[in-house]
């Protein structure tokens, strides 16, 4: 809930079904800063002190197009379970002080954000850009409200015991969102990294192409494997196809063999796969019982990908093949590529538009992983898509309507084939109506099952 005051004060309130200590502790955990950063903002961490107590500092880089700047913040007020305050020491505002107040009544905690800010060259800049800045703040705090409420209520619902979770592909679109979520749920994360210069204390260096891994996670609780060369970018040359296969199969085999050799291996191995496993289908609803999809390149890749995990299965480790649909986030992937043309009224439909697009909002990807970590009875293939798949045409029309722009033309199949070749045929012109049967039957609740709900959250509507 937004409260409007003077041009230099912004207030927002969020109500959460949780006790005050749970809500406050969530804000103190590593990862909270990035869970609260909207995905349409290009934010990267430079340095950060632990905690939010007085004196703790954080430097982040903000990038808009070719322009970037460093935001230096410092915590200047703290009272456990009641209040904390941070101040911008360097950044885009001439003044920014953000106070967070926490109160509880009848099991409901209210978080009140009170921001005092001033634009450079005030009052001239306020007269020119004040409404624009306030609109951006409203958009940002609506997003923060959704994330804060959903994450904390998820934590209260599942009450997860703290775990040590190993994550590969931590710099990818899904991995970079998953790690802060796991941290705010109270878990310790070990990243598998190829670049030694980016290692932090506790991280593990590996090189799947060379078959090298420093296996320092014998007593970890789970491994989540997300590494893989992107498939939806450019033509599939022979070299690109080899990279797509090798990046998935070699890395999965290395991890599976490493786990199989451990005396006390992690009990859960969640391996990313894709709904491309099923190949192209028409209107038929596809569940986890469907077999691999024939001669499609992606179907063959997914089959080899999942087969590479066999050593972990043979070891008796619980293995989950997460068959992921089109993940929606403006931070990367399909929605990021679509945002600009659709905002200009140039969003197209590929081919006839009758092919199904099985999508899932990023936040539901994160919550499903948290759900699977707690539901130890689930194993094998798990479809990770919204329960409400749409056709490609419906997707484009909904996004165009959301952005209040006309939808552009249907791009004929021969044009797509000319531009993208086999990738265009299998990714843009084909589809399947995939249903997350295992998740639904196990009691998982999607927070964003409808496309318009997902756009509203992810794009700040």
């Amino acid at each position: 809930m937004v409260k409007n005051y003077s041009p230099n004060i912004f207030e927002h309130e969020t109500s959460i079904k949780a006790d005050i200590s749970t809500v406050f502790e969530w804000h103190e955990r590593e990862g909270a800063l990035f869970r609260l950063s909207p995905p349409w903002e290009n934010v990267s961490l430079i340095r950060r002190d632990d905690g939010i107590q007085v004196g703790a500092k954080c430097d982040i880089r903000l990038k808009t197009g070719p322009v970037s700047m460093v935001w230096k913040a410092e915590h200047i007020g703290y009272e456990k379970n009641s209040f904390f305050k941070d101040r911008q020491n360097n950044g885009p505002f001439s003044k920014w002080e953000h106070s967070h107040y926490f109160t509880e009544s009848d099991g409901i905690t209210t978080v009140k954000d009170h921001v005092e800010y001033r634009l450079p060259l005030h009052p001239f800049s306020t007269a020119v850009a004040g409404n624009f800045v306030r609109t951006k703040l409203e958009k940002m705090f609506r997003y923060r409200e959704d994330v804060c409420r959903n994450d904390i209520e998820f934590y209260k619902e599942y009450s997860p015991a703290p775990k040590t979770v190993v994550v590969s592909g931590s710099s990818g679109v899904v991995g970079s969102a998953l790690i802060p979520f796991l941290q705010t749920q109270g878990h310790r994360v070990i990243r598998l990294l190829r670049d030694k210069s980016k290692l932090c204390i506790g991280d593990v260096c590996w090189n799947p192409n060379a078959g090298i891994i420093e296996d320092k996670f014998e007593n970890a609780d789970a491994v989540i494997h997300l590494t893989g060369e992107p498939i939806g970018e450019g033509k599939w040359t022979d070299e690109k196809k080899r990279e797509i296969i090798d990046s998935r199969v070699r890395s999965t085999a290395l991890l599976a063999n490493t786990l199989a050799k451990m005396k006390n291996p992690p009990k859960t191995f969640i391996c990313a796969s894709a709904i491309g496993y099923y190949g192209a289908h028409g209107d038929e609803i596809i569940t986890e019982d469907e077999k691999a999809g024939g001669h499609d390149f992606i179907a063959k890749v997914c089959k080899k990908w999942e087969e590479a995990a066999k050593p972990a299965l043979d070891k008796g480790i619980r293995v989950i093949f997460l068959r992921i649909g089109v993940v929606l986030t403006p931070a990367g992937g399909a929605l990021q590529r679509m945002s600009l043309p659709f905002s200009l009224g140039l969003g197209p439909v590929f081919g006839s538009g009758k092919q199904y697009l099985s999508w899932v909002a990023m936040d539901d990807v994160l919550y499903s992983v948290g759900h699977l970590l707690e539901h130890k009875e689930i194993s094998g293939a798990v479809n990770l898509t919204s329960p409400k798949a749409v056709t490609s045409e419906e997707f484009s029309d909904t996004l165009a309507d959301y952005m209040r722009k006309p939808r552009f033309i249907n791009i004929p199949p021969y044009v797509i084939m000319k531009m993208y070749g086999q990738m265009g045929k299998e990714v843009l012109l084909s589809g399947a109506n995939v249903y997350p049967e295992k998740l639904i039957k196990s009691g998982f609740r999607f927070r964003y099952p409808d496309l318009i709900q997902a756009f509203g959250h992810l794009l700040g509507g």
Side-chain angles (χ1 to χ4, degrees):
M1 178 174 64
V2 176
K3 292 186 175 182
N4 292 311
Y5 289 93
S6 77
N8 297 319
I9 294 176
F10 181 88
E11 289 195 340
H12 187 97
E13 289 186 0
T14 300
S15 296
I16 303 167
K17 295 178 182 177
D19 59 273
I20 198 167
S21 62
T22 297
V23 176
F24 196 89
E25 285 173 8
W26 184 91
H27 284 81
E28 289 190 291
R29 292 193 184 112
E30 184 179 4
L33 172 65
F34 282 95
R35 278 302 287 150
L36 294 172
S37 298
W40 58 82
E41 301 286 359
N42 193 336
V43 175
S44 58
L45 180 66
I46 299 175
R47 65 172 292 274
R48 178 183 182 274
D49 295 333
D50 291 336
I52 59 174
Q53 296 187 8
V54 174
K57 295 181 179 180
C58 178
D59 298 346
I60 59 176
R61 187 176 304 281
L62 306 173
K63 189 172 182 182
T64 303
V67 179
S68 67
M69 67 173 61
V70 175
W71 180 307
K72 293 179 178 288
E74 179 181 3
H75 288 277
I76 58 174
Y78 176 91
E79 184 178 340
K80 182 73 173 176
N81 293 336
S82 177
F83 162 81
F84 70 92
K85 183 176 183 179
D86 55 82
R87 175 184 64 204
Q88 174 205 284
N89 291 334
N90 181 76
F93 294 89
S94 62
K95 176 184 179 181
W96 177 278
E97 293 186 357
H98 183 181
S99 301
H100 312 69
Y101 298 95
F102 298 76
T103 57
E104 182 183 352
S105 177
D106 297 327
I108 304 293
T109 296
T110 299
V111 182
K112 178 181 177 181
D113 294 281
H114 176 91
V115 180
E116 297 181 18
Y117 66 97
R118 186 179 300 116
L119 300 178
L121 304 178
H122 174 78
F124 172 76
S125 57
T126 301
V128 173
N131 288 337
F132 171 76
V133 171
R134 181 165 289 274
T135 298
K136 286 200 70 173
L137 290 176
E138 290 173 354
K139 181 178 176 181
M140 178 177 73
F141 277 88
R142 277 196 299 268
Y143 176 83
R144 290 166 64 101
E145 177 179 356
D146 283 351
V147 168
C148 188
R149 180 188 295 118
N150 285 335
D151 278 23
I152 294 170
E153 291 181 359
F154 181 94
Y155 179 82
K156 285 290 291 183
E157 178 182 350
Y158 286 82
S159 299
K163 298 176 182 61
T164 298
V165 183
V166 181
V167 178
S168 75
S170 59
S171 62
V173 175
V174 174
S176 59
L178 178 63
I179 287 176
F181 170 73
L182 293 173
Q183 290 170 332
T184 54
Q185 293 294 303
H187 305 309
R188 172 184 172 234
V189 176
I190 297 174
R191 300 179 302 164
L192 288 178
L193 297 174
R194 301 185 190 212
D195 188 346
K196 288 187 177 181
S197 66
K198 296 181 179 180
L199 289 175
C200 295
I201 295 173
D203 290 335
V204 173
C205 189
W206 77 325
N207 185 337
N209 290 333
I212 297 172
I213 186 170
E214 298 175 5
D215 51 334
K216 297 178 181 177
F217 48 90
E218 178 118 1
N219 294 307
D221 297 285
V223 174
I224 302 174
H225 178 41
L226 303 172
T227 299
E229 176 74 14
I231 65 172
E233 301 174 5
K235 281 189 173 183
W236 288 343
T237 62
D238 289 343
E239 182 180 356
K240 176 73 170 180
K241 284 185 175 182
R242 282 194 298 271
E243 290 176 352
I244 289 172
I245 295 171
D246 289 348
S247 65
R248 288 162 172 78
V249 176
R250 286 184 179 178
S251 60
T252 303
L254 176 58
L255 275 174
N257 282 308
T258 300
L259 297 179
K261 294 174 183 176
M262 291 181 177
K263 291 182 179 179
N264 298 299
K267 294 178 174 60
T268 299
F269 181 30
I270 299 177
C271 182
S273 184
I275 59 172
Y277 178 94
Y278 303 116
H281 285 266
D283 295 341
E284 175 191 2
I285 296 176
I286 304 301
T287 69
E288 289 88 351
D289 294 330
E290 186 71 20
K291 294 181 180 179
H295 301 292
D296 288 357
F297 170 70
I298 291 300
K300 291 178 180 177
V301 170
C302 291
K303 193 168 185 295
K304 291 180 179 179
W305 195 358
E306 295 184 10
E307 288 172 347
K310 189 175 184 299
L313 281 166
D314 292 342
K315 179 75 172 181
I317 296 169
R318 178 174 73 117
V319 178
I320 294 172
F321 300 110
L322 209 53
R323 294 176 183 166
I324 308 173
V326 177
V327 178
L328 299 186
T329 171
L335 186 58
Q336 184 189 58
R337 293 193 294 271
M338 292 177 179
S339 292
L340 179 60
F342 274 87
S343 68
L344 297 174
L346 300 174
V349 171
F350 297 111
S352 69
K354 304 305 179 187
Q355 68 274 26
Y356 267 86
L357 193 156
S358 294
W359 61 276
V360 60
M362 174 62 82
D363 289 76
D364 280 327
V365 173
L366 310 182
Y367 298 137
S368 70
V369 171
H371 177 85
L372 293 169
L373 287 173
E374 300 306 313
H375 280 261
K376 297 181 172 51
E377 77 281 5
I378 303 174
S379 63
V382 174
N383 292 338
L384 181 44
T385 61
S386 163
K388 298 181 180 181
V390 296
T391 65
S392 177
E393 185 175 48
E394 289 172 324
F395 186 93
S396 293
D397 287 344
T398 304
L399 183 54
D401 286 346
Y402 176 81
M403 292 190 169
R404 299 179 182 177
K405 298 290 184 179
R407 196 258 291 163
F408 198 46
I409 62 172
N410 288 54
I411 301 178
Y414 73 87
V415 174
I416 294 170
M417 291 295 294
K418 184 72 173 178
M419 293 175 63
Y420 298 109
Q422 188 179 1
M423 189 281 281
K425 178 182 178 183
E426 292 195 21
V427 175
L428 302 179
L429 297 176
S430 299
N433 185 359
V434 179
Y435 183 75
E437 186 171 75
K438 280 191 178 180
L439 282 173
I440 295 293
K441 285 187 174 180
S442 66
F444 179 71
R445 177 172 63 87
F446 284 84
R447 272 64 178 177
Y448 304 98
D450 295 306
L451 199 53
I452 196 67
Q453 285 179 305
F455 288 152
H457 172 62
L458 294 167
L459 299 175

